[in-house]
């Protein structure tokens, strides 16, 4: 079964929100990894699951390469990139399903889904999982625009995007990244919750 690409197209505002949220929670992923609460394979499974939902070509290629280098099997990678969850360790399944839900809801998971993650893994590891999901969301949103632009340069236009959209998304990081960093720093100073439910 072949992975379908460009399933979701995100706007600049959504990219900013993803950057802000991802930069705030990146540290939790790193802490969980350093404390051996999350293995490299677990993080890659999360990233491949989110990439499958969003359909990012460049992320699919990059994370397949990383997963293979870490010793994951071709079969497991293909399954994750086609949305199948067979063979995923039971203790990781709740996180993988949450990752898919997070991406499918465009970064707006339900409180019930988040509560299940916290119950299953504890607050610290749940935040690490959230950090991994949010980092790949940043990569997917940006990567979709880059992939579409690269395809356009090769003479293969992507129907869901336009040249203006692709350029706007690619250039937007110049302004959005420093603003998101400052926004995240201020939010951390005032102890703004890392996840909220609108």
């Amino acid at each position: 079964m072949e992975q379908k690409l460009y399933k979701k197209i995100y706007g600049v505002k959504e990219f900013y929100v993803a950057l802000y949220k991802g930069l705030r929670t990146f540290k939790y992923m790193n802490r969980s990894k350093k404390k051996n609460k999350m293995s490299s394979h677990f993080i890659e499974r999360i990233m491949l699951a989110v990439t499958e939902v969003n359909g990012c070509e460049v992320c699919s290629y990059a994370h397949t390469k990383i997963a293979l280098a870490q010793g994951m099997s071709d079969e497991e990678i293909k399954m994750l990139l086609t949305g199948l969850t067979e063979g995923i360790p039971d203790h990781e399944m709740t996180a993988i399903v949450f990752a898919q839900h997070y991406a499918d809801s465009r970064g707006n998971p339900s409180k019930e889904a988040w509560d299940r993650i916290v119950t299953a893994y504890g607050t610290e590891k749940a935040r690490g999982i959230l950090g991994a999901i949010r980092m790949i969301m940043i990569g997917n949103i940006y990567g979709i625009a880059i992939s579409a632009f690269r395809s356009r340069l090769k003479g293969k236009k992507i129907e869901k995007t336009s040249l203006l959209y692709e350029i706007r998304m690619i250039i937007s990081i110049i302004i959005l990244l420093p603003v998101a960093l400052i926004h995240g720093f201020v939010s951390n100073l005032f102890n703004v919750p890392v996840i909220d439910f609108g």
Side-chain angles (χ1 to χ4, degrees):
M1 186 185 269
E2 195 174 316
Q3 184 199 15
K4 292 181 182 172
L5 301 172
Y6 308 101
K7 293 179 184 177
K8 294 186 183 294
I9 303 297
Y10 294 85
V12 172
K13 183 178 177 185
E14 288 175 299
F15 183 39
Y16 175 77
V17 172
L19 267 174
Y20 162 71
K21 288 178 176 181
L23 292 170
R24 285 199 70 207
T25 51
F26 175 70
K27 62 186 175 189
Y28 299 115
M29 180 187 75
N30 272 349
R31 279 184 208 156
S32 289
K33 194 173 176 184
K34 283 179 185 171
K35 292 181 177 181
N36 293 320
K37 290 182 181 281
M38 291 176 68
S39 68
S40 296
H41 281 205
F42 187 20
I43 291 169
E44 281 310 312
R45 284 186 191 99
I46 289 168
M47 295 195 169
L48 288 166
V50 171
T51 296
E52 184 278 326
V53 173
N54 286 319
C56 176
E57 182 179 22
V58 72
C59 294
S60 179
Y61 174 79
H63 285 279
T64 294
K65 197 171 176 182
I66 292 167
L68 285 169
Q70 290 177 357
M72 285 175 68
S73 71
D74 287 348
E75 185 181 336
E76 182 179 6
I77 293 165
K78 284 177 189 170
M79 282 176 38
L80 283 163
L81 287 174
T82 53
L84 301 173
T85 56
E86 296 164 22
I88 291 172
D90 289 342
H91 65 279
E92 294 180 4
M93 187 59 75
T94 306
I96 299 301
V97 171
F98 177 75
Q100 291 169 325
H101 166 63
Y102 190 98
D104 194 50
S105 66
R106 301 178 81 89
N108 298 296
S110 69
K111 185 177 187 315
E112 295 76 22
W114 175 247
D115 289 344
R116 276 195 297 276
I117 288 293
V118 173
T119 299
Y121 300 104
T123 303
E124 186 179 8
K125 188 171 180 178
R127 287 181 172 184
I129 291 164
L130 184 64
I133 293 166
R134 287 178 169 177
M135 289 312 294
I136 193 61
M137 284 292 289
I138 293 169
N140 284 177
I141 293 169
Y142 197 65
I144 287 167
I146 289 173
S147 297
F149 184 67
R150 281 177 34 190
S151 291
R152 184 178 300 280
L153 292 178
K154 293 176 183 174
K156 187 180 173 191
K157 182 179 169 281
I158 304 303
E159 294 299 320
K160 292 183 177 181
T161 68
S162 67
L163 179 60
L164 180 62
Y165 164 81
E166 294 155 12
I167 291 171
R168 185 172 61 236
M169 286 297 289
I170 292 167
I171 292 174
S172 70
I173 199 163
I174 297 166
I175 296 167
L176 299 184
L177 183 59
V179 175
L181 282 166
I182 293 165
H183 188 183
F185 177 75
V186 171
S187 293
N188 289 340
L189 272 180
F190 289 96
N191 293 317
V192 173
V194 293
I195 188 165
D196 58 6
F197 310 95

